[in-house]
Each structure stands twice: as structure tokens, then as C-alpha cells.
Amino acid sequence: MGKAIVITSGKGGVGKTTATANIGTGLAIMGNKVVVVDTDIGLRNLDVVMGLENRIVYDIVDVVEKTCRLKQGLIRDKRFDGLYLLPAAQTKDKTAVKPEQMLELIKELKEEGFDYIIIDSPAGIERGFQNSIAGADEAFIVTTPEISAVRDADRVIGLLESQGIHNPKLIVNRIRYDMVKRGDMMNVEDIIDILAIDLLGVVPDDEAIVISTNKGEPVVSEEDPLSAKAFRNICNRILGKEVEFLDLNNSEGKLSKLIKLLFSK
Amino acid sequence: MDLFKFLNKDSQRSKNVAKERLKLVLIHDRSDLSPRLLEMIKGDMIRVVKEYAEVDEEGLDIKLTRMKRESDGMPMSALVANIPIVKVRENE
């Protein structure tokens, strides 16, 4: 039976859509049948991040309203075997879909044989958020090392809990190790400590993400960028493999700093 | 000189400022308890504990926080009270 995972954050602009695109693509590359679902009706973006914007005919609203069949609404990504996108509608608003319809949709997608259904949540905690979590079995929370993003993540964790989605996992996005090192950015331990949830992965702030998004090619399909490795690690952990967290030396103590200082000149 | 500055200023690093501010704001976000209610609980707790021990009322700290339940690691809200005991009263 497939698994439906919602990617959410509360705050906007922390990288939910990028995470959805890369996790979906990564899991497909690793041999799974995956659909990424955009629930941000009215502000759809998963299509452009995936580079599939020119292939949209039907959207999620057409599917739940049965204007088209589910299979017609799904866009097959020709670059990656087993990867599909269900785009959001752009001209309607969040009320165009009800949580019960989402529940039904996820059920149908599971029956369609998808191993993973990755749901991209809109920002906020209103109807769009409620829709996105309606059929989810699990939740991944994306945050950045900023006070506002972590605060919103905390709020969302509480809301998920109250909706019966327990033990969400955390993705810390856009970590800048140079800033962490000099003590001007919260590190992963600080964030975990405050939110008290399990860590799924850490994604460094990486120019490669901007470049790959410009091109509409998820970075995870590239070999070298650090962010691609980070997303591959996340995918492997989803598949149940034990993967060490990238060693980016963010917990360097005073002593080793001092030694470096003394030996640097 | 540089080294001294670097060891001394650590607690003022902006990440520590962020962490402390975040902790404080989350205490309020997480609780459905109003600060007034929390004050009332605090008063009652002092009263109860005072029957058995002398407490440092100034140093008393009560807050809502989130922690993992020991049995299954499930996150949950917890009311944490830190009550400094000055002296335990002798049994009468």
C-alpha cells in the first residue's frame, strides 16, 4: 500500500515546493512510482519547479470534480520513470476543494498503485493547509534556521498533532555553515532541541538549487551539488535506510577553533 | 585581545539571542493558558508547597514547554514548575 506524505511548514518561502519536487524526483529515480500533488490552488508552483508547466491540461480541481478521469489529470514526467505530477488549479481558490474530496483523491491514487504520494502544502494554516493534510499518513515539516520559520513550524506541529498526524519529521533547509560556525545562525541541534521532533534531513543553502529551479530540473538528479546529496539522503531515509547526516562540521568547539586560529598564521 | 573578545561575547551571539527569544515566544504560543491563568496556578502551587517547605518565591519559574514522552517518544505539552526550596519544614 502506498504512503501519502504531506510537506508543510506554516510559513511561506521556506522551500516546501523545492523539497516536494526533489523528494518526489529522488524517490522516482530510486525506482518508486511517485506522484507529487500541488494543493496550492490559486498559487500553483510545483509545475514550474518540476519543469512541467507546459504540459498541463487538467488539474486537481478537474479531477475532484470529475471533469476528467484521474489518469487524464496526471502528468507523466518523461525524464524520470514512474514520476507523475497532479497540478493545482491556477484560476480558482482554496475552497474549490474540500478535505473530504482530498481524502477520496489520495485513496484513488493509492489504488492507482503509487508507492509515494508527496503532497505540497500551501503556506498558512487555513483551508489549503487542511486540504493538504486531509489524506496524509505522515508529515514532513520544512523550516529554515530563522526564528519566524521555526515558530511557525512549532504551530504546525501542534495542529498536525490535533488532527491525528503524529510524529512529523523535520527538514532543516537553507543552513549556512559559515554563519552557524560563527554563531550567527541557529544550528540543527538548536532547532531540534526547541521543536522536539525527529530530524529527517538537513539541506544546505546552495546556489545549485536556484540554478536547477531556473531550468526546471530538480537538483536531486545532479551528481555533485551538496543539496542534491542532502535530498538523496532524505530519500534513502524515507526508504528506511540508515544514512549518516552530511558532516558539515557545524558543531566545532572553541578549542578546535582556537587551534585553527593559532595554526592559521 | 581578540581571543578575549571571542570567548566573552559568545552568549551574545545572535543565534543565542534568537534561541532565547524563540523559546520565550513559544511558551506563549504553545499554551492555551493565558498568562493570568498561569499566575493563578503559580500562586496556588506556592501555597501548597509552602505547607511543606520554605520556598524562594522570587526564584519560582513555571512554564509550558514541549517534551517527548519517555514511554514512546511522542511529543507533548508539559507544565514545568521549578520551585527552589529554601528549607524543608520539620515534621510537627
Side-chain angles (χ1 to χ4, degrees), chain A residues 55-86:
Chain A
R55 301 202 24 225
I56 298 177
V57 181
Y58 297 107
D59 57 51
I60 191 167
V61 177
D62 296 319
V63 171
V64 300
E65 284 179 350
K66 308 214 186 300
T67 315
C68 71
R69 284 178 291 114
L70 176 59
K71 276 197 170 145
Q72 290 177 299
L74 296 172
I75 297 162
R76 190 174 70 85
D77 192 322
K78 291 170 184 164
R79 300 162 296 180
F80 308 103
D81 244 4
L83 181 62
Y84 295 79
L85 164 73
L86 182 57

Short mmCIF file of all heavy atoms in Angstrom, two decimals, chain A residues 55-86:
data_model
loop_
_atom_site.label_atom_id
_atom_site.label_comp_id
_atom_site.label_asym_id
_atom_site.label_seq_id
_atom_site.Cartn_x
_atom_site.Cartn_y
_atom_site.Cartn_z
N ARG A 55 2.82 21.33 -19.89
CA ARG A 55 2.11 20.11 -20.22
C ARG A 55 0.79 19.96 -19.50
O ARG A 55 0.12 18.93 -19.57
CB ARG A 55 3.03 18.91 -19.95
CG ARG A 55 4.31 19.03 -20.78
CD ARG A 55 5.03 17.73 -21.01
NE ARG A 55 4.18 16.57 -20.92
CZ ARG A 55 4.52 15.47 -20.25
NH1 ARG A 55 5.67 15.42 -19.62
NH2 ARG A 55 3.71 14.45 -20.21
N ILE A 56 0.39 21.03 -18.78
CA ILE A 56 -0.85 20.95 -18.01
C ILE A 56 -2.07 21.08 -18.90
O ILE A 56 -2.17 22.01 -19.69
CB ILE A 56 -0.88 22.05 -16.92
CG1 ILE A 56 0.29 21.84 -15.93
CG2 ILE A 56 -2.21 22.05 -16.18
CD1 ILE A 56 0.41 22.88 -14.86
N VAL A 57 -2.96 20.13 -18.76
CA VAL A 57 -4.25 20.22 -19.44
C VAL A 57 -5.33 20.30 -18.36
O VAL A 57 -6.10 21.25 -18.29
CB VAL A 57 -4.50 19.00 -20.35
CG1 VAL A 57 -5.85 19.15 -21.06
CG2 VAL A 57 -3.37 18.85 -21.37
N TYR A 58 -5.36 19.30 -17.51
CA TYR A 58 -6.32 19.28 -16.41
C TYR A 58 -5.58 19.53 -15.10
O TYR A 58 -4.36 19.47 -15.04
CB TYR A 58 -7.04 17.94 -16.36
CG TYR A 58 -7.87 17.66 -17.59
CD1 TYR A 58 -7.44 16.71 -18.53
CD2 TYR A 58 -9.06 18.33 -17.81
CE1 TYR A 58 -8.19 16.46 -19.66
CE2 TYR A 58 -9.82 18.09 -18.95
CZ TYR A 58 -9.38 17.15 -19.87
OH TYR A 58 -10.12 16.89 -20.98
N ASP A 59 -6.35 19.78 -14.03
CA ASP A 59 -5.72 20.00 -12.73
C ASP A 59 -6.50 19.29 -11.62
O ASP A 59 -7.49 18.60 -11.89
CB ASP A 59 -5.57 21.50 -12.44
CG ASP A 59 -6.91 22.22 -12.50
OD1 ASP A 59 -7.86 21.75 -11.83
OD2 ASP A 59 -7.01 23.24 -13.22
N ILE A 60 -6.06 19.51 -10.41
CA ILE A 60 -6.64 18.81 -9.25
C ILE A 60 -8.14 19.08 -9.09
O ILE A 60 -8.90 18.18 -8.71
CB ILE A 60 -5.85 19.18 -7.95
CG1 ILE A 60 -6.23 18.26 -6.78
CG2 ILE A 60 -6.06 20.65 -7.56
CD1 ILE A 60 -5.28 18.37 -5.59
N VAL A 61 -8.56 20.31 -9.42
CA VAL A 61 -9.99 20.63 -9.29
C VAL A 61 -10.80 19.84 -10.32
O VAL A 61 -11.87 19.30 -10.01
CB VAL A 61 -10.24 22.15 -9.41
CG1 VAL A 61 -11.72 22.47 -9.36
CG2 VAL A 61 -9.51 22.90 -8.30
N ASP A 62 -10.28 19.73 -11.55
CA ASP A 62 -10.95 18.93 -12.57
C ASP A 62 -11.09 17.48 -12.11
O ASP A 62 -12.11 16.84 -12.33
CB ASP A 62 -10.15 18.95 -13.88
CG ASP A 62 -10.10 20.36 -14.46
OD1 ASP A 62 -11.13 21.04 -14.43
OD2 ASP A 62 -9.02 20.77 -14.94
N VAL A 63 -10.03 16.98 -11.45
CA VAL A 63 -10.06 15.58 -11.01
C VAL A 63 -11.08 15.37 -9.90
O VAL A 63 -11.90 14.45 -9.98
CB VAL A 63 -8.65 15.11 -10.56
CG1 VAL A 63 -8.72 13.73 -9.90
CG2 VAL A 63 -7.70 15.08 -11.75
N VAL A 64 -11.08 16.24 -8.88
CA VAL A 64 -12.04 16.01 -7.78
C VAL A 64 -13.48 16.31 -8.20
O VAL A 64 -14.42 15.73 -7.67
CB VAL A 64 -11.69 16.79 -6.48
CG1 VAL A 64 -10.32 16.39 -5.96
CG2 VAL A 64 -11.81 18.28 -6.65
N GLU A 65 -13.62 17.20 -9.18
CA GLU A 65 -14.98 17.46 -9.67
C GLU A 65 -15.40 16.49 -10.77
O GLU A 65 -16.50 16.59 -11.32
CB GLU A 65 -15.06 18.91 -10.21
CG GLU A 65 -15.12 19.96 -9.12
CD GLU A 65 -15.17 21.37 -9.66
OE1 GLU A 65 -14.96 21.54 -10.89
OE2 GLU A 65 -15.41 22.29 -8.87
N LYS A 66 -14.49 15.61 -11.10
CA LYS A 66 -14.72 14.56 -12.10
C LYS A 66 -15.02 15.12 -13.50
O LYS A 66 -15.75 14.53 -14.28
CB LYS A 66 -15.84 13.60 -11.64
CG LYS A 66 -15.60 13.04 -10.24
CD LYS A 66 -16.10 11.62 -10.09
CE LYS A 66 -15.99 11.09 -8.67
NZ LYS A 66 -14.62 11.08 -8.13
N THR A 67 -14.44 16.29 -13.77
CA THR A 67 -14.48 16.83 -15.13
C THR A 67 -13.61 15.96 -16.03
O THR A 67 -13.84 15.88 -17.25
CB THR A 67 -13.92 18.27 -15.15
OG1 THR A 67 -14.47 18.99 -14.05
CG2 THR A 67 -14.22 19.00 -16.45
N CYS A 68 -12.59 15.35 -15.43
CA CYS A 68 -11.75 14.42 -16.18
C CYS A 68 -11.47 13.22 -15.31
O CYS A 68 -11.73 13.25 -14.10
CB CYS A 68 -10.44 15.09 -16.58
SG CYS A 68 -9.33 15.39 -15.19
N ARG A 69 -10.94 12.17 -15.91
CA ARG A 69 -10.56 11.00 -15.12
C ARG A 69 -9.22 11.28 -14.44
O ARG A 69 -8.44 12.11 -14.90
CB ARG A 69 -10.46 9.77 -16.02
CG ARG A 69 -11.84 9.20 -16.42
CD ARG A 69 -11.71 8.02 -17.35
NE ARG A 69 -11.20 8.41 -18.66
CZ ARG A 69 -10.02 8.06 -19.15
NH1 ARG A 69 -9.21 7.29 -18.45
NH2 ARG A 69 -9.64 8.45 -20.35
N LEU A 70 -8.97 10.55 -13.34
CA LEU A 70 -7.72 10.75 -12.59
C LEU A 70 -6.51 10.63 -13.52
O LEU A 70 -5.60 11.45 -13.48
CB LEU A 70 -7.65 9.72 -11.45
CG LEU A 70 -6.37 9.71 -10.61
CD1 LEU A 70 -6.12 11.06 -9.95
CD2 LEU A 70 -6.42 8.63 -9.54
N LYS A 71 -6.52 9.61 -14.36
CA LYS A 71 -5.37 9.36 -15.24
C LYS A 71 -5.12 10.51 -16.21
O LYS A 71 -3.98 10.78 -16.59
CB LYS A 71 -5.60 8.07 -16.03
CG LYS A 71 -5.18 6.86 -15.22
CD LYS A 71 -5.01 5.63 -16.10
CE LYS A 71 -4.37 4.52 -15.31
NZ LYS A 71 -4.84 3.20 -15.68
N GLN A 72 -6.20 11.20 -16.59
CA GLN A 72 -6.04 12.34 -17.50
C GLN A 72 -5.41 13.53 -16.79
O GLN A 72 -4.73 14.35 -17.40
CB GLN A 72 -7.41 12.76 -18.06
CG GLN A 72 -8.02 11.77 -19.03
CD GLN A 72 -9.40 12.21 -19.47
OE1 GLN A 72 -10.30 12.36 -18.65
NE2 GLN A 72 -9.57 12.42 -20.77
N GLY A 73 -5.69 13.64 -15.50
CA GLY A 73 -5.16 14.76 -14.72
C GLY A 73 -3.68 14.61 -14.40
O GLY A 73 -2.98 15.60 -14.17
N LEU A 74 -3.20 13.38 -14.37
CA LEU A 74 -1.80 13.13 -14.01
C LEU A 74 -0.87 13.41 -15.19
O LEU A 74 -1.09 12.93 -16.29
CB LEU A 74 -1.63 11.67 -13.58
CG LEU A 74 -2.37 11.25 -12.30
CD1 LEU A 74 -2.25 9.74 -12.10
CD2 LEU A 74 -1.82 11.98 -11.09
N ILE A 75 0.18 14.19 -14.92
CA ILE A 75 1.17 14.46 -15.97
C ILE A 75 2.38 13.57 -15.72
O ILE A 75 2.98 13.60 -14.64
CB ILE A 75 1.60 15.94 -15.93
CG1 ILE A 75 0.39 16.83 -16.22
CG2 ILE A 75 2.73 16.21 -16.91
CD1 ILE A 75 0.58 18.25 -15.80
N ARG A 76 2.70 12.78 -16.72
CA ARG A 76 3.84 11.88 -16.57
C ARG A 76 5.13 12.64 -16.90
O ARG A 76 5.21 13.31 -17.94
CB ARG A 76 3.70 10.69 -17.52
CG ARG A 76 4.70 9.58 -17.26
CD ARG A 76 4.39 8.37 -18.14
NE ARG A 76 4.68 8.65 -19.55
CZ ARG A 76 5.89 8.52 -20.10
NH1 ARG A 76 6.91 8.11 -19.36
NH2 ARG A 76 6.08 8.77 -21.37
N ASP A 77 6.10 12.57 -16.01
CA ASP A 77 7.39 13.22 -16.25
C ASP A 77 8.22 12.29 -17.13
O ASP A 77 8.63 11.22 -16.70
CB ASP A 77 8.10 13.48 -14.92
CG ASP A 77 9.28 14.41 -15.08
OD1 ASP A 77 9.99 14.32 -16.11
OD2 ASP A 77 9.50 15.25 -14.19
N LYS A 78 8.45 12.72 -18.37
CA LYS A 78 9.13 11.83 -19.33
C LYS A 78 10.60 11.61 -19.00
O LYS A 78 11.22 10.68 -19.48
CB LYS A 78 9.01 12.41 -20.75
CG LYS A 78 7.58 12.36 -21.27
CD LYS A 78 7.44 13.16 -22.55
CE LYS A 78 5.99 13.18 -23.01
NZ LYS A 78 5.75 14.24 -24.01
N ARG A 79 11.18 12.49 -18.17
CA ARG A 79 12.61 12.37 -17.86
C ARG A 79 12.88 11.29 -16.81
O ARG A 79 13.97 10.73 -16.74
CB ARG A 79 13.15 13.71 -17.33
CG ARG A 79 13.02 14.85 -18.32
CD ARG A 79 13.14 16.18 -17.61
NE ARG A 79 12.04 16.37 -16.66
CZ ARG A 79 11.90 17.46 -15.90
NH1 ARG A 79 12.80 18.42 -15.96
NH2 ARG A 79 10.87 17.57 -15.08
N PHE A 80 11.87 11.07 -15.93
CA PHE A 80 12.08 10.13 -14.84
C PHE A 80 10.96 9.09 -14.82
O PHE A 80 9.79 9.44 -14.66
CB PHE A 80 12.12 10.86 -13.50
CG PHE A 80 13.10 12.01 -13.47
CD1 PHE A 80 12.64 13.32 -13.56
CD2 PHE A 80 14.47 11.78 -13.37
CE1 PHE A 80 13.53 14.38 -13.56
CE2 PHE A 80 15.36 12.84 -13.36
CZ PHE A 80 14.89 14.15 -13.45
N ASP A 81 11.36 7.84 -14.93
CA ASP A 81 10.39 6.76 -14.94
C ASP A 81 9.59 6.72 -13.64
O ASP A 81 10.16 6.79 -12.56
CB ASP A 81 11.16 5.43 -15.09
CG ASP A 81 10.79 4.75 -16.38
OD1 ASP A 81 10.03 5.37 -17.16
OD2 ASP A 81 11.26 3.62 -16.62
N GLY A 82 8.30 6.61 -13.75
CA GLY A 82 7.47 6.43 -12.56
C GLY A 82 7.14 7.71 -11.81
O GLY A 82 6.61 7.66 -10.71
N LEU A 83 7.45 8.87 -12.41
CA LEU A 83 7.18 10.14 -11.74
C LEU A 83 6.01 10.88 -12.41
O LEU A 83 6.00 11.04 -13.64
CB LEU A 83 8.43 11.03 -11.75
CG LEU A 83 8.30 12.39 -11.04
CD1 LEU A 83 8.01 12.22 -9.56
CD2 LEU A 83 9.59 13.21 -11.22
N TYR A 84 5.05 11.30 -11.59
CA TYR A 84 3.86 12.00 -12.09
C TYR A 84 3.59 13.25 -11.27
O TYR A 84 3.96 13.33 -10.09
CB TYR A 84 2.63 11.08 -12.01
CG TYR A 84 2.72 9.88 -12.91
CD1 TYR A 84 3.48 8.78 -12.54
CD2 TYR A 84 2.05 9.85 -14.13
CE1 TYR A 84 3.59 7.66 -13.37
CE2 TYR A 84 2.14 8.73 -14.96
CZ TYR A 84 2.90 7.65 -14.58
OH TYR A 84 2.99 6.55 -15.39
N LEU A 85 2.94 14.22 -11.92
CA LEU A 85 2.53 15.45 -11.22
C LEU A 85 1.02 15.62 -11.34
O LEU A 85 0.45 15.47 -12.43
CB LEU A 85 3.23 16.67 -11.85
CG LEU A 85 2.64 18.05 -11.51
CD1 LEU A 85 2.95 18.46 -10.07
CD2 LEU A 85 3.17 19.13 -12.47
N LEU A 86 0.38 15.94 -10.23
CA LEU A 86 -1.01 16.39 -10.28
C LEU A 86 -0.99 17.88 -9.93
O LEU A 86 -0.79 18.25 -8.78
CB LEU A 86 -1.89 15.61 -9.29
CG LEU A 86 -3.37 15.98 -9.31
CD1 LEU A 86 -3.99 15.83 -10.69
CD2 LEU A 86 -4.16 15.13 -8.31
#
